[in-house]
């Protein structure tokens, strides 16, 4: 097939719906993006404009338009406008879910007040009153709503156009039918209804491309199949894209080596020989003269007091370091990334997945460094280095008087706005919408353990959807990575920060 000569110079948008002519040519049938359902006034207005630019033969199985309908006829016996709405609503509701989902997320639209010939408008009624009129004929089992948009084109100023939206059909829906008999319009009064005869109670309508018809036996068979699929199971599968549960250990030897290195750093400023004795008179006079000249006094803690402060700090550091595991792992440990597959025949909405991590496994939201703040946070503050002090330091520096363990502000923040939630050992992923046969990659998280484990970890999971009953469940296997030292992870994070600093 080739594009017709009439369209040879027209650029066809990738979202346009194409129509094939009897000669095999392709024409742009409706220039409207059907990948998403319209939800805003601007989207509805785009749909109205697309209808105005379409061909009279371009009505579809999800879209019907009408130039106008008179919902307040002079003859109150004329129910033809209400009958037209009832027919359309029932026809859209009786579609097959898998077919309906091909366009605008399964919704159906009746647009009144516009056609390819022009903008005609419709009387703007109270939506509650309109829905009350029509519900008498379609019942309360169909989810539909009405709204108006206003057109200011082609000489019109805020011309109202009615849009009736019918929600997507679902497997297990009943067969919808007319709930109340609709009499034909009085003879010679109305020509806007296709049915010139009475529409009997229990009449079934179905939607076909471009028209709404009374159901034939084959249509009723299909609707029966739809009804029987009510108990369709929530068929979901969870696969592993990337995963590693990382054992993060705090080796005693490495901890003592770190404490020893920190002790050496802190005692390095101490003089080789020091005493708290005042010394000879000449030494006292010389120290006094130096103090007057420089404004600095000897360290008031003295050698022994400083060493005692160092040991208090090191003991607090020894206790605090293992407690930084969660912060360090959230920043440095590998991600767990899972993929959720929809094997049902339904477009699933609001799918929520929960993982139940075994006891001893810590699930974390991935994080990143923020600025140049201390890392890890929450560690005790080191003593001020030993040495002479100014009077202001003597007055205001608490480390000169006693050891003080101060918590630092957090140095990490979430990587993404959309993130997992962790409640105890349960990982809760953000809700996902899943089209038929497709998949969604779930938000990443980090899993660590303080145990020296190896092999594979079996993790149970469950999933629910807002538009389908039942629970999907299964077990996924997460590999356990080689053991890592907490201090090696801290060093790796610091090395990355130093490298980024150089690059900046």
């Amino acid at each position: 097939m080739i594009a017709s000569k009439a369209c040879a110079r027209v650029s066809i948008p990738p979202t346009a719906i194409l129509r094939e002519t009897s000669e095999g040519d392709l024409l742009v049938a409706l220039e409207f993006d059907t990948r998403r359902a319209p939800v805003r006034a601007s989207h509805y207005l785009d749909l109205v404009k697309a209808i105005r630019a379409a061909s009279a033969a371009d009505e579809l199985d999800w879209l019907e338009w009408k130039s106008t309908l008179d919902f307040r006829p002079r003859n109150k016996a004329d129910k033809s406008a209400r009958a037209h709405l009832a027919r359309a609503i029932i026809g859209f509701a009786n579609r097959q879910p898998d077919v309906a989902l091909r366009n605008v997320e399964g919704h159906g639209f009746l647009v009144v007040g516009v056609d390819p010939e022009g903008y005609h408008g419709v009387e703007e009624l109270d939506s509650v009153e309109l829905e009350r009129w029509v519900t008498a004929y379609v019942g309360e089992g169909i989810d539909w709503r009405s709204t108006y948009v206003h057109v200011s084109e082609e000489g019109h100023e805020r011309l109202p156009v009615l849009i009736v939206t019918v929600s997507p059909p679902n497997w297990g829906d009943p067969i919808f039918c007319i709930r109340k008999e609709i009499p034909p319009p009085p003879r010679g009064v109305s020509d806007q209804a296709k049915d010139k005869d009475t529409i009997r109670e229990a009449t079934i309508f179905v939607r076909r491309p471009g028209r709404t018809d009374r159901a034939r036996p084959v249509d009723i068979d299909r609707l029966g199949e739809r009804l029987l699929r009510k108990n369709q199971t929530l068929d979901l599968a969870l696969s592993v894209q990337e995963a590693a549960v990382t054992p993060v250990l705090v080796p005693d030897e490495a901890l003592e080596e770190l404490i020893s290195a920190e002790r050496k750093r802190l005692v390095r400023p101490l003089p080789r020989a020091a005493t708290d004795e005042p010394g000879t008179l000449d030494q006292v006079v010389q120290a006094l003269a130096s103090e007057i000249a420089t404004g600095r006094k000897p360290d008031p803690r003295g050698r022994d007091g400083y060493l005692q402060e160092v040991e208090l700090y090191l003991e607090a550091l020894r206790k605090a370091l293992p407690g930084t595991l969660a912060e360090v792992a959230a920043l440095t440990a590998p991600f767990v990334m899972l993929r959720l597959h929809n094997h049902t025949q339904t477009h699933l909405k609001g799918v929520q997945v929960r993982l139940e991590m075994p006891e001893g496994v810590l699930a974390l939201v991935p994080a990143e460094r923020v600025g140049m703040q201390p890392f890890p946070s929450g560690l005790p503050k080191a003593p001020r280095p030993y040495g002479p002090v100014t009077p202001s330091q003597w007055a205001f520096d608490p480390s000169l008087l006693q050891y003080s363990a101060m918590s630092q502000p957090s140095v990490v923040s979430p990587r993404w706005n959309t993130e997992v939630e962790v409640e105890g050992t349960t990982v809760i992923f953000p809700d996902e919408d899943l089209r038929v046969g497709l998949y969604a990659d779930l938000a990443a998280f980090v899993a660590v353990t303080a145990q020296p484990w190896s092999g594979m970890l079996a993790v149970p999971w469950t999933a629910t959807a807002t538009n389908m009953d039942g629970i999907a469940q299964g077990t996924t296997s997460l590999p356990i990575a080689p053991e890592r030292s907490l201090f090696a992870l801290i060093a790796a994070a610091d090395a990355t920060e130093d490298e980024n600093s150089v690059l900046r």
Side-chain angles (χ1 to χ4, degrees):
M1 293 183 293
I2 60 173
S4 69
K5 294 180 180 179
C7 292
R9 295 185 179 89
V10 177
S11 176
I12 300 177
T15 56
I17 299 174
L18 301 180
R19 176 169 57 86
E20 186 177 352
T21 68
S22 58
E23 292 79 17
D25 296 337
L26 287 179
L27 294 174
V28 177
L30 191 74
E31 192 172 322
F32 185 75
D33 187 350
T34 64
R35 293 174 298 181
R36 295 289 184 269
V39 293
R40 301 177 182 172
S42 60
H43 299 163
Y44 289 127
L45 193 56
D46 289 341
L47 178 59
V48 170
K49 292 178 180 179
I51 293 172
R52 174 66 180 90
S55 162
D58 291 337
E59 285 183 301
L60 304 156
D61 65 338
W62 61 271
L63 176 63
E64 179 182 353
W65 59 72
K66 188 73 177 173
S67 60
T68 190
L69 290 175
D70 186 2
F71 293 100
R72 295 185 188 273
R74 290 184 180 181
N75 189 335
K76 295 185 181 299
D78 182 6
K79 308 295 184 183
S80 53
R82 304 181 191 184
H84 196 96
L85 251 66
R87 287 165 49 101
I89 290 170
I90 289 176
F92 286 132
N94 277 335
R95 293 175 299 157
Q96 295 298 99
D98 52 345
V99 176
L101 282 171
R102 295 172 184 171
N103 294 292
V104 290
E105 298 180 328
H107 294 78
F109 295 92
L110 171 64
V111 182
V112 184
V114 62
D115 63 14
E117 299 300 321
Y119 298 109
H120 310 281
V122 68
E123 181 184 359
E124 191 166 356
L125 304 174
D126 181 84
S127 295
V128 174
E129 185 177 20
L130 180 63
E131 291 173 14
R132 177 172 57 82
W133 288 346
V134 179
T135 298
Y137 300 110
V138 303
E140 298 183 353
I142 302 176
D143 182 22
W144 68 278
R145 59 191 179 277
S146 61
T147 189
Y148 291 88
V149 295
H150 299 89
V151 176
S152 297
E153 293 190 9
E154 301 182 9
H156 299 289
E157 184 64 29
R158 290 185 58 78
L159 182 72
V161 173
L162 171 66
I163 299 180
V164 174
T165 304
V166 182
S167 293
N170 294 302
W171 298 113
D173 280 351
I175 301 175
F176 296 106
C177 63
I178 294 293
R179 313 293 293 187
K180 178 182 177 182
E181 183 175 290
I182 307 176
R187 182 173 297 179
V189 170
S190 175
D191 61 353
Q192 61 187 4
K194 292 182 179 179
D195 282 277
K196 302 300 182 180
D197 300 322
T198 299
I199 302 178
R200 301 293 181 186
E201 182 181 344
T203 302
I204 301 169
F205 289 99
V206 294
R207 182 67 186 169
R208 310 189 197 283
R211 67 186 194 275
T212 300
D213 290 338
R214 295 173 187 259
R216 298 193 295 260
V218 66
D219 300 314
I220 297 176
D221 289 343
R222 280 195 292 264
L223 290 172
E225 292 174 3
R226 186 183 74 171
L227 174 63
L228 293 176
R229 292 180 67 172
K230 181 176 182 179
N231 296 323
Q232 179 182 204
T233 59
L234 189 58
D235 189 3
L236 296 171
L238 199 64
S239 63
V240 177
Q241 297 304 108
E242 297 180 22
V245 179
T246 307
V248 180
L249 307 182
V250 185
D252 291 339
E253 293 183 2
L255 177 59
E256 292 308 317
E257 288 179 4
L258 186 147
I259 296 297
S260 178
E262 183 70 353
R263 179 183 288 107
K264 290 179 181 179
R265 183 185 71 82
L266 292 172
V267 302
R268 192 176 297 121
L270 284 174
R272 294 183 179 179
T275 177
D276 293 332
E277 297 298 327
T280 64
L281 179 60
D282 289 341
Q283 292 173 328
V284 172
V285 171
Q286 184 178 0
L288 183 59
S290 175
E291 178 181 335
I292 294 173
T294 63
R296 296 170 65 86
K297 296 182 178 182
D299 195 317
R301 295 171 292 185
R303 180 184 179 88
D304 290 343
Y306 175 73
L307 290 175
Q308 182 180 10
E309 186 178 340
V310 167
E311 292 304 318
L312 287 172
Y313 158 72
L314 294 176
E315 184 58 30
L317 182 64
R318 181 184 283 105
K319 294 179 180 179
L321 275 169
T324 66
L325 186 151
E327 179 183 350
V328 174
L331 182 67
T332 59
F335 295 162
V336 176
M337 300 186 69
L338 305 176
R339 177 171 289 177
L340 183 65
H341 303 259
N342 179 9
H343 294 317
T344 70
Q345 296 300 312
T346 300
H347 172 46
L348 299 177
K349 295 185 177 181
V351 181
Q352 185 183 86
V353 178
R354 292 173 172 247
L355 286 182
E356 296 296 334
M357 306 302 290
E359 290 291 338
V361 175
L362 182 63
L364 305 165
V365 178
E368 60 184 2
R369 290 286 287 271
V370 176
M372 298 298 292
Q373 296 177 352
F375 174 80
S377 63
L379 295 180
K381 183 179 178 181
R384 185 188 66 82
Y386 188 83
V389 297
T390 63
S392 61
Q393 286 178 308
W394 169 263
F396 299 108
D397 190 345
S399 68
L400 296 175
L401 305 178
Q402 61 180 0
Y403 164 74
S404 175
M406 300 178 62
S407 296
Q408 303 292 345
S410 175
V411 302
V412 296
S413 68
R415 290 179 188 264
W416 303 282
N417 292 331
T418 302
E419 60 187 37
V420 298
E421 296 180 17
V422 179
E423 296 180 358
T425 59
T426 304
V427 181
I428 306 171
F429 295 91
D431 290 2
E432 299 281 355
D433 289 347
L434 272 175
R435 290 182 174 275
V436 177
L438 299 184
Y439 63 82
D441 290 327
L442 304 182
F445 70 100
V446 170
V448 296
T449 177
Q451 308 296 326
W453 291 344
S454 61
M456 302 289 289
L457 198 64
V459 180
W461 61 269
T462 58
T464 56
T466 58
N467 65 332
M468 181 177 288
D469 294 334
I471 300 176
Q473 57 188 351
T475 301
T476 189
S477 296
L478 304 181
I480 298 177
E483 297 175 3
R484 299 292 302 276
S485 165
L486 173 66
F487 309 117
L489 293 179
I490 294 175
D494 287 338
T496 301
E497 183 69 16
D498 291 342
E499 179 181 350
N500 292 337
S501 298
V502 171
L503 293 176
R504 287 195 297 267

